[in-house]
Amino acid sequence: MAAIIEDTYAEAFKSFYVEFLITARDRTWLDHAVAAATGNASSTIMCDCEAGLDRYVGPGTAEPDFTPDGRPGAVVQLHVPKFRKDWKQALERTALVRISQNVLTCPTAACFNLLDTEDYFRMGRKVAYFGNGYQKRIERFGRKMWWVPILGGEFVLDRRLGFASGLMGGNLWLFGKDVDPALEAAARGAVGVAKTPGVIMPFPGGVAASGSKAGSKYRFAIASTYEKYCPELREIAAVESQVPAGVRSIMEIIINGRDLEAINVATQAAIAAAKDTPGLIRISAGNYGGRLGKSFIYLLGKESALLQK
């Protein structure tokens, strides 16, 4: 029996993001670069950005000709929320740190910009300063790039890194009779999302076991556990629990992406992949009635909406 899908919506909010391509000699070193470049980036509650793998491209994939150098590649996104007053500086800083410290350092890796936008960061030049005066501008693969000498040989990257407006905070909640079906459903859902181009899942394995709410009883914390949806707190009267009967575990999938349509498609893919999981009771989503974001992703497949201020 399929799980109940609630007639509700996930609430996403605007971000700015960069999208770049990492290539490497083989999948092993490509995965090392991706893991390093997207690490410690699950939530901007305390991380500098939310980052993740969009998809693999290049030889052996559905997009074999995507990579300029003909090698295995991976598309990566880094997001920061638009409501940050310093979003532009924050986005440039996180991209600079992750490309210079996690991509340049990975054996055989190269880096290519994927957003051809009017506004951009001069990322290549900044990373190339590592060359200590021996770096140089080159043209390769029909692109304007920087060349940096390194002990392993060379590192090349595009001169420009574009940025654009995206969305953060698309989500699904998977309610299970216990932890095993909740996690299995979330894992299945994450596989569905991973097949959708243009989106990322920033949490480990695409799944968050600690969904949060804005605010806390402690002044130094900006977010805290969503106590109304903690199954272990159901019997505490002051909590006003919203956990349905029979549910002992709730897992969450967070989806960021380039636009509302991409997140909507990913959401439906996740629901289709997860809904028949044995022991899954309900599929829902988190929202704040439009107070957090103006983009709604409806679980029942209604046309997703972008509210206007």
Side-chain angles (χ1 to χ4, degrees):
M1 183 176 178
I4 295 171
I5 303 172
E6 286 194 9
D7 185 7
T8 188
Y9 59 87
E11 182 177 327
F13 53 94
K14 290 184 178 181
S15 70
F16 281 99
Y17 76 103
V18 296
E19 184 175 75
F20 54 88
L21 169 70
I22 302 172
T23 66
R25 183 186 69 177
D26 53 46
R27 179 66 177 267
T28 295
W29 289 107
L30 178 62
D31 283 347
H32 284 311
V34 170
T38 62
N40 190 31
S42 295
S43 169
T44 52
I45 291 173
M46 290 195 71
C47 301
D48 59 331
C49 71
E50 294 185 9
L53 168 70
D54 175 353
R55 66 193 188 278
Y56 289 103
V57 293
T61 73
E63 300 174 87
D65 301 322
F66 192 95
T67 59
D69 56 9
R71 304 191 302 168
V75 177
V76 167
Q77 292 181 8
L78 314 179
H79 289 252
V80 298
K82 185 179 180 179
F83 58 69
R84 282 190 62 159
K85 293 181 179 179
D86 65 341
W87 68 262
K88 191 171 184 179
Q89 295 87 345
L91 183 58
E92 182 178 25
R93 173 66 178 173
T94 191
L96 175 61
V97 168
R98 291 169 185 271
I99 292 173
S100 66
Q101 301 304 298
N102 304 126
V103 183
L104 179 149
T105 58
C106 183
T108 77
C111 188
F112 302 90
N113 172 51
L114 292 179
L115 295 178
D116 185 15
T117 53
E118 182 176 349
D119 294 322
Y120 56 86
F121 301 124
R122 298 182 185 275
M123 189 60 54
R125 181 177 65 179
K126 293 187 176 183
V127 174
Y129 280 127
F130 180 73
N132 197 33
Y134 296 99
Q135 69 273 21
K136 60 184 178 182
R137 295 186 180 197
I138 63 170
E139 288 197 14
R140 189 180 293 181
F141 315 117
R143 308 168 75 97
K144 294 181 178 180
M145 308 189 76
W146 277 97
W147 178 90
V148 185
I150 58 173
L151 272 65
E154 65 175 15
F155 177 71
V156 296
L157 76 163
D158 281 338
R159 295 182 193 176
R160 297 178 177 180
L161 182 65
F163 59 88
S165 178
L167 286 174
M168 304 170 69
N171 67 85
L172 283 176
W173 292 356
L174 295 308
F175 294 67
K177 67 177 185 179
D178 53 45
V179 67
D180 290 337
L183 185 54
E184 174 65 19
R188 291 184 183 188
V191 171
V193 174
K195 295 178 180 178
T196 306
V199 299
I200 64 168
M201 295 173 287
F203 281 85
V207 182
S210 58
S212 61
K213 71 177 191 303
S216 169
K217 65 180 290 185
Y218 304 107
R219 288 180 294 176
F220 56 80
I222 64 172
S224 59
T225 192
Y226 209 156
E227 70 277 3
K228 291 184 179 181
Y229 290 93
C230 291
E232 294 296 323
L233 300 180
R234 180 165 29 207
E235 304 305 321
I236 299 178
V239 169
E240 299 180 356
S241 178
Q242 300 296 308
V243 179
V247 171
R248 298 188 61 186
S249 181
I250 303 172
M251 297 291 172
E252 183 177 21
I253 299 173
I254 306 294
I255 308 170
N256 299 345
R258 63 167 71 116
D259 54 33
L260 184 62
E261 178 59 23
I263 296 179
N264 185 56
V265 171
T267 298
Q268 293 304 314
I271 291 172
K275 64 182 182 180
D276 294 321
T277 305
L280 181 67
I281 295 173
R282 185 179 297 268
I283 300 177
S284 187
N287 66 71
Y288 301 88
R291 295 191 300 275
L292 177 63
K294 304 302 178 182
S295 299
F296 293 175
I297 302 98
Y298 291 95
L299 271 58
L300 291 182
K302 301 174 184 177
E303 184 177 352
S304 295
L306 176 62
L307 298 183
Q308 301 298 324
K309 292 183 178 179

